Structures are given as C-alpha cells and as structure tokens.
Amino acid sequence: MSFPVSFSAAQRQALSVGWLRPHSARHYAIVPSLLLVAPLLAILAIGFLYPLTKLITLSFSGGPSATYGRFFTDPLYASVLGDTVGIAVAVTLSCVVAAYPVALVMARLKGRLALVIAACVFIPLWTSVLIRSYGWIVLLQRRGIVNSLLMSMNLTEEPLKLLYTQGAVVLAMTHVLLPFAILPIFSTLRLLPDDYVRAARNLGAGPIRAFLYVTLPLSLPGVFAGATMCFVLALGFYITPALVGGPGSMLMANLIGQQTTVLLDWPFAAALSTVLLVMTIVFIVVFRKTLSRSKGFSGVY
C-alpha cells in the first residue's frame, strides 16, 4: 500500500495497522470512533458515574454499622421499603391493565379520532406532576367533587375518607405514569402486521382467541418495557405520595427527603438511596430473566 510522501513514518504505521483507516466502508476506524464517543462518555462520567460514586462513598462515611446496620436492624425502614415496593407493583399492574386497551384502540384507529386519543395521552405529559397531584386533592378531599357527588346521589350520608390513603396514592400515581405505559405498548402494536390476525381469523379463530394467541404474545415486549418503566419511576416517586398520601404514606423517596432536609443525616440518606438503587437493579434483572423465558419477550432489548 502506497502513502503520500508528506506522511510521516508514524502516520504510515498507524494507517497500516488500521487505527485511522477503516477496514471497510461500513465501519469507522478506532481513533475516529473514540473521538465520536468521547463527548458521550464524558457526559456519562460527569453526570452519572461521578455522582453515583460520591453517593456510595458517602453512605460509608459514618461506618457501615451506623448507616446500613441502622437500616437493617430497625423494622421501620424495612416496613417503608415494603410499602414502596407494594405501591410500585400495584401502580405498575394498574397502569398496564389500563394502558393496554387505550394503546390497542390507538393502534387500530386512523384519522382524526386517533389524533384526539393521542392528544389525550400526550397532554398530561405536558402538565406538571405537582398540578396533577393537586387536582387529585381537589377531587378526593372531604368536601371535594367525588364526595359531593356521592352525597348528592344519596350513596353516602357523610364524606368518605378518600384522601391521604394508600388507594389515593395508587390512583394518583397511576394517572401520572399511565402515558409511560401506553406509549411502549402502542409502538409495539402499531408495528404488528394485520396479516397475522387476519390469518388466524381465516383459520377459524374468533376475535378473542386471535387476540389471546396472536396479538397479546406479540405485544409482550411493549408490555414489558412499559411495566419496567412504570415500576422504576414508581419506586422513586416523591411529590404525589407526599401530597396525596400525606404524613401517613411514607415511601422511600419521602424518607430520603426527610433525612436530607429535616434531619440533615446525609450518610444515612445516601445509604437509603443506595439500597433503593440496588433493589431496583435486582428487581429489573430478576423480572427480565423470569419473563424472558416467554417467547413473547425474546425481542426485548
């Protein structure tokens, strides 16, 4: 291979070994590839890896017995962790159950009606979580719209306690996280060819059987993606449980906020954050490994 006379010996050697010259037209050379990836790696290191390392280091600053030992010996913190996981699971299930019919209708409709439904899904994403949480307070308080409607219909004689309950937290969080479940399921259903369902119908399957044996299994990757996103977001929710759940609904995010802003116990707050992070990773890995055995999940990631 011949090189221009102006090239130095080091440049010729680098080109000959392929550091600067790609092996084919479809692949970048090593040095240009590293230069292209370097800004992304720098942002990842500064914005994620460094704060995460500082967080884990801070959790050990007071000694493992003073932070992690306190968490594992006091049953209060285990109870808060259990409540957090339970609410996250309930919110995830309710989001998936409510999102699938909406995503199915969005995937099958066309024209203006499909745009109207899509707008109803996207508009809540443009609204602040704080505003939506206050909206549920207006609806569920003792003299709110729901209680006033129930009493006006003579269904109840006195206002029901709807606000500051676990059910109110699950309902409000489901409303906030519902678009994050609808969109992945919709994107999966939109890509499914109609020929599969049509072939099942031609072979004698009814609409319900065709849905259960064709549409549902093929849409499981979107269901899994939406469920994972909702579960991870629900584990770290702070504003909605604090407003709708009140002091009686203490989740891990609220506990961490209390340790940092009220008690100023930063090492213990870092330990709580690390435990929540590790538990989230473990749940995602176990959830994915368990459900990936199903044929419908083979295409996830």
Side-chain angles (χ1 to χ4, degrees), residues 122-246:
F122 281 104
I123 286 176
L125 292 176
W126 303 336
T127 308
S128 172
V129 177
L130 183 63
I131 296 176
R132 284 182 279 177
S133 300
Y134 272 116
W136 281 106
I137 294 177
V138 174
L139 289 174
L140 300 178
Q141 60 185 344
R142 290 184 61 85
R143 298 297 178 182
I145 297 177
V146 176
N147 274 317
S148 299
L149 182 62
L150 292 176
M151 294 177 64
S152 64
M153 298 174 63
N154 295 325
L155 297 177
T156 58
E157 297 181 356
E158 57 183 11
L160 300 177
K161 185 181 179 181
L162 301 177
L163 195 62
Y164 305 134
T165 60
Q166 300 284 31
V169 174
V170 173
L171 183 61
M173 289 177 62
T174 300
H175 171 247
V176 174
L177 295 178
L178 190 58
F180 295 97
I182 294 176
L183 296 179
I185 299 175
F186 165 72
S187 62
T188 304
L189 290 172
R190 193 62 179 264
L191 296 176
L192 294 181
D194 297 334
D195 297 339
Y196 294 161
V197 177
R198 193 178 299 112
R201 296 296 301 273
N202 291 335
L203 292 175
I208 298 178
R209 190 178 181 87
F211 171 77
L212 293 177
Y213 285 91
V214 178
T215 305
L216 182 60
L218 293 177
S219 63
L220 287 182
V223 174
F224 174 75
T228 303
M229 192 177 301
C230 291
F231 181 77
V232 172
L233 293 175
L235 284 177
F237 245 61
Y238 177 78
I239 296 177
T240 302
L243 293 178
V244 181

Side-chain angles (χ1 to χ4, degrees), residues 71-90:
F71 175 81
F72 289 107
T73 55
D74 196 332
L76 173 63
Y77 304 118
S79 176
V80 173
L81 182 61
D83 292 341
T84 303
V85 175
I87 289 180
V89 171

